[in-house]
């Protein structure tokens, strides 16, 4: 009875046979096979070529100078001193926000016209 309990507790562990040799159970024999399958699936992914991302940059962009770095403190000082026209900045930002909202509304609109939708609906039936 105790040997059955021990065998049930350690089913996936190696155990001794009656002739004192180690035997491997079925789940233990499958682990290396699963590992080899995973390796066979992942190995081709390591050999892929990356797309040429440099081809997107135009020659003018590559030849352009880097932008000048400006310290933030003088910009904050001019804003604190009241030299920034708040009304103009607010008007510019509200105009930009309206333009972006109008653009978003146009993008939310339908792409297909009425006859195209009917033709597509007839094809689905």
């Amino acid at each position: 009875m105790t040997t059955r309990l021990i065998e049930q507790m350690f089913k996936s562990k190696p155990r001794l046979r009656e002739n004192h040799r180690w035997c491997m159970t079925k789940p233990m024999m499958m682990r290396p096979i699963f590992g080899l399958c995973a390796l066979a699936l992942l190995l081709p992914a390591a050999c892929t070529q990356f797309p040429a991302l440099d081809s997107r940059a135009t020659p003018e962009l590559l030849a352009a100078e880097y932008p000048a770095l400006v310290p933030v403190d003088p910009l904050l000082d001019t804003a604190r001193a009241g030299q920034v026209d708040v009304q103009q900045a607010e008007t510019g930002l509200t105009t930009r926000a309206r333009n972006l909202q109008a653009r978003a509304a146009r993008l939310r609109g339908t792409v297909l016209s009425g006859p195209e939708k009917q033709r597509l609906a007839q094809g689905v039936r």
Side-chain angles (χ1 to χ4, degrees):
M1 172 111 175
T2 56
T3 55
R4 282 190 181 168
L5 285 174
I6 292 172
E7 284 181 7
Q8 286 178 356
M9 286 174 48
F10 300 104
K11 251 186 180 170
S12 64
K13 306 278 186 204
R15 58 181 181 220
L16 289 173
R17 285 190 186 167
E18 293 174 8
N19 56 3
H20 303 292
R21 291 189 181 180
W22 288 97
C23 71
M24 295 183 76
T25 60
K26 188 135 183 129
M28 289 185 73
M29 291 173 25
M30 295 300 287
R31 285 182 187 156
I33 293 172
F34 288 139
L36 288 174
C37 289
L39 182 67
L41 290 173
L42 292 176
L43 192 62
C47 300
T48 59
Q49 294 283 330
F50 288 107
L53 297 177
D54 294 333
S55 64
R56 292 185 156 224
T58 61
E60 296 84 21
L61 185 63
L62 293 174
E65 293 290 323
Y66 286 105
L69 297 177
V70 179
V72 175
D73 293 330
L75 296 173
L76 291 175
D77 291 338
T78 57
R80 286 187 194 121
Q83 296 174 356
V84 176
D85 187 10
V86 178
Q87 187 67 26
Q88 183 183 5
E90 186 178 345
T91 306
L93 287 175
T94 54
T95 305
R96 184 170 181 216
R98 275 194 225 119
N99 290 340
L100 287 172
Q101 288 171 349
R103 183 177 176 198
R106 284 192 309 267
L107 290 174
R108 274 190 224 111
T110 180
V111 177
L112 300 174
S113 65
E116 290 173 336
K117 283 183 185 179
Q118 287 176 353
R119 196 175 108 211
L120 196 74
Q122 288 173 355
V124 172
R125 291 182 204 157

